[in-house]
Amino acid sequence: MNAQPKALFPGTFDPCTLGHVDIAERAARIFGTVIIAVSESSGPGTLLPVDVRVQLIAEATAHIAGATTVPFKGLTARYGAELGATVIVRGLRHGSDLNYEAPMAIANRAQEGGLETIFLLARADHTRISSSLVRDLYLHGGNIDPFVTEAVAAYLQSLKFPNTEQPA
Ligand code: COA
């Protein structure tokens, strides 16, 4: 019998949401080992530095046996292959996610290691959650509690961004 494949769950996780935690839990049930790989790249729209993004998702997934969190830079496929992963896991909320994911999955499979991407459909109640929505609510002083873990909400609320509009 073949060994169970090791899965890489890459993302920006800026910040991680309940949707990400659910995908990590389900991937661990299927694959046993899930490496949550946090991209170090911080583009112009990135709110949190990579060390904070790593810390938050590591805490949010600490209850998942077989899940570990690491930062990475460079090509996802190369990094996954170096770690011995054979599968990339990504969540899909709706059809437009597939338009974004399909070219990445094809490109990743074309790299050395030939990692396959497996998509897990988001839970119905997670289909409207996104990191950008959380960032936008947060920066305007909105309620992010329904979308993130308590620890993520508490951390963000402890920060004072200069442009954050706090509720009256
Ligand atoms: N439930 C809820 N939300 C979900 C979800 C789920 N199941 N799955 C994804 N999302 C959301 C996220 O909240 C986020 O929302 P946003 O776009 O509104 O902010 C979005 O979907 C995707 O974010 P995330 O999961 O953090 O991943 P990403 O798309 O930022 O990650 C990388 C992209 C890092 C995997 C990709 O850019 C990459 O591989 N980079 C490394 C360089 C590389 O190899 N490039 C070539 C790739 S072919």
Side-chain angles (χ1 to χ4, degrees):
M1 204 169 113
N2 289 335
Q4 208 174 17
K6 195 188 274 188
L8 188 79
F9 178 24
T12 308
F13 305 113
D14 183 39
C16 64
T17 66
L18 296 179
H20 290 126
V21 176
D22 175 59
I23 295 296
E25 285 171 353
R26 289 159 57 198
R29 280 202 290 276
I30 297 168
F31 298 108
T33 302
V34 178
I35 304 157
I36 300 166
V38 182
S39 172
E40 284 191 13
S41 76
S42 31
T46 311
L47 178 71
L48 301 169
V50 66
D51 55 326
V52 171
R53 288 183 274 127
V54 166
Q55 181 197 325
L56 293 178
I57 193 160
E59 281 172 15
T61 57
H63 62 289
I64 306 175
T68 51
T69 302
V70 285
F72 81 102
K73 55 183 159 202
L75 274 183
T76 297
R78 185 177 301 139
Y79 183 69
E82 277 169 13
L83 294 183
T86 51
V87 165
I88 291 173
V89 171
R90 294 278 291 169
L92 283 185
R93 294 161 296 176
H94 34 62
S96 50
D97 276 354
L98 187 58
N99 293 338
Y100 170 64
E101 296 290 342
M104 288 204 293
I106 290 166
N108 284 329
R109 196 174 57 216
Q111 307 308 306
E112 202 174 335
L115 271 78
E116 292 284 356
T117 301
I118 305 286
F119 297 109
L120 297 181
L121 280 183
R123 275 170 38 165
D125 55 334
H126 288 168
T127 55
R128 301 291 167 200
I129 301 178
S130 70
S131 298
S132 52
L133 177 85
V134 170
R135 290 195 300 274
D136 196 36
L137 283 169
Y138 166 69
L139 288 169
H140 292 89
N143 178 21
I144 60 172
D145 294 353
F147 312 118
V148 296
T149 65
E150 280 180 29
V152 170
Y155 178 84
L156 288 177
Q157 259 120 42
S158 74
L159 297 177
K160 289 276 178 283
F161 278 91
N163 56 346
T164 302
E165 298 166 20
Q166 297 296 334

